[in-house]
Amino acid sequence: PVLADTASRIASSHVRNMGTIGGNLAHNLVGSDPPATLIALGAEIRASSTRGKRTIPASEFFTGFMETVLQPDELLTEVRIPPLVPGSAVVYLKHTVRAVDPALVGVALLAVRNAHSGSWSEVRIGVSGVSEAPLRLRSAEDVLRGRQPDEATIREAAKLAMDEVDPMTDAHGSADYRRKMTGVILGRAVRQLLMRSQTEAR
């Protein structure tokens, strides 16, 4: 479901009807929505050329401003998403000026809940719009992993997330604003998954 939700947030219906997931990833526009979600889902990207094929983790595919690891003779041919393990929950939250705009901050959070302890046994966080390229927030993941996050943990993860990103300033928002909103949106994502797990446990 998170893939459909993420896709529904991309620009307008006109753009969605014309575009492709491969084109979106290869173009690597700052603030694009799918990269964050695919990073959180642990997706892999297949690149093909006359030299052969190779598979790249989504978290290593994006290298800079509108740049990827694709070579001039390579074509993006597949996106592979592993099935979710039991106890998984995923959410993508986007903060932007207008719904049709790229994300000022896009945060995708995957958490795997241990049914016995209630702690999060696995956590992956993908973000877009807050650095030259989409990235995985590993320090924030480490704080949330192995715990059932409380408010202190959420604040710690949010602070680390703000430290990990390297946002730019443009007409839509300053680097400082984007950095602060990274922590805010991550906090909202964590609380949303916690609320969802509490509802499902009833």
Side-chain angles (χ1 to χ4, degrees), residues 46-55 74 77-78 80:
R46 176 67 65 91
S48 302
S49 71
T50 56
R51 294 178 287 108
K53 298 180 179 181
R54 62 182 179 132
T55 302
E74 286 184 314
T77 54
E78 293 180 58
R80 297 181 175 182

Side-chain angles (χ1 to χ4, degrees), residues 19 32 48 58 66 79 90 96-97 126 128 132 136 149 188 198 202:
S32 178
S48 302
M66 300 183 79
V79 178
V90 197
T96 189
V97 178
S128 62
E132 286 191 350
R136 184 174 171 182
R188 290 178 185 173
Q198 291 167 2
R202 291 173 185 169

Side-chain angles (χ1 to χ4, degrees), residues 112-173:
V112 181
R113 182 176 179 271
N114 185 301
H116 301 291
S117 66
S119 63
W120 287 2
S121 58
E122 181 54 63
V123 179
R124 287 196 296 270
I125 305 169
V127 295
S128 62
V130 290
S131 292
E132 286 191 350
L135 69 155
R136 184 174 171 182
L137 299 185
R138 297 183 184 274
S139 295
E141 291 175 358
D142 291 341
V143 169
L144 296 169
R145 188 179 293 111
R147 302 186 187 182
Q148 185 173 6
D150 54 17
E151 283 300 317
T153 306
I154 293 172
R155 287 193 296 271
E156 184 180 356
K159 183 182 184 304
L160 287 170
M162 289 188 286
D163 292 340
E164 283 190 81
V165 300
D166 184 22
M168 69 298 293
T169 294
D170 61 16
H172 300 295

Side-chain angles (χ1 to χ4, degrees), residues 1-14:
V2 73
L3 290 172
D5 182 53
T6 302
S8 72
R9 299 169 187 262
I10 300 172
S12 65
S13 58
H14 306 82

Side-chain angles (χ1 to χ4, degrees), residues 21-201:
I21 185 67
N24 181 285
L25 299 177
H27 187 53
N28 191 20
L29 178 71
V30 173
S32 178
D33 300 293
T37 297
L38 292 176
I39 288 171
L41 289 172
E44 294 180 332
I45 297 168
R46 176 67 65 91
S48 302
S49 71
T50 56
R51 294 178 287 108
K53 298 180 179 181
R54 62 182 179 132
T55 302
I56 308 118
S59 58
E60 300 174 11
F61 183 75
F62 311 98
T63 58
F65 181 73
M66 300 183 79
E67 294 180 345
T68 70
V69 298
L70 286 177
Q71 297 299 309
D73 64 339
E74 286 184 314
L75 183 68
L76 192 160
T77 54
E78 293 180 58
V79 178
R80 297 181 175 182
I81 302 168
L84 296 177
V85 301
S88 297
V90 197
V91 64
Y92 173 69
L93 299 181
K94 175 181 181 177
H95 175 63
T96 189
V97 178
R98 302 177 304 163
V100 297
D101 290 338
L104 287 174
V105 179
V107 175
L109 169 64
L110 175 143
V112 181
R113 182 176 179 271
N114 185 301
H116 301 291
S117 66
S119 63
W120 287 2
S121 58
E122 181 54 63
V123 179
R124 287 196 296 270
I125 305 169
V127 295
S128 62
V130 290
S131 292
E132 286 191 350
L135 69 155
R136 184 174 171 182
L137 299 185
R138 297 183 184 274
S139 295
E141 291 175 358
D142 291 341
V143 169
L144 296 169
R145 188 179 293 111
R147 302 186 187 182
Q148 185 173 6
D150 54 17
E151 283 300 317
T153 306
I154 293 172
R155 287 193 296 271
E156 184 180 356
K159 183 182 184 304
L160 287 170
M162 289 188 286
D163 292 340
E164 283 190 81
V165 300
D166 184 22
M168 69 298 293
T169 294
D170 61 16
H172 300 295
S174 68
D176 187 55
Y177 178 72
R178 280 185 162 95
R179 182 175 289 107
K180 289 180 179 177
M181 288 307 298
T182 300
V184 170
I185 301 301
L186 175 59
R188 290 178 185 173
V190 174
R191 293 184 186 96
Q192 185 167 319
L193 290 193
L194 287 172
M195 188 177 300
R196 187 185 301 176
S197 64
Q198 291 167 2
T199 300
E200 292 172 350

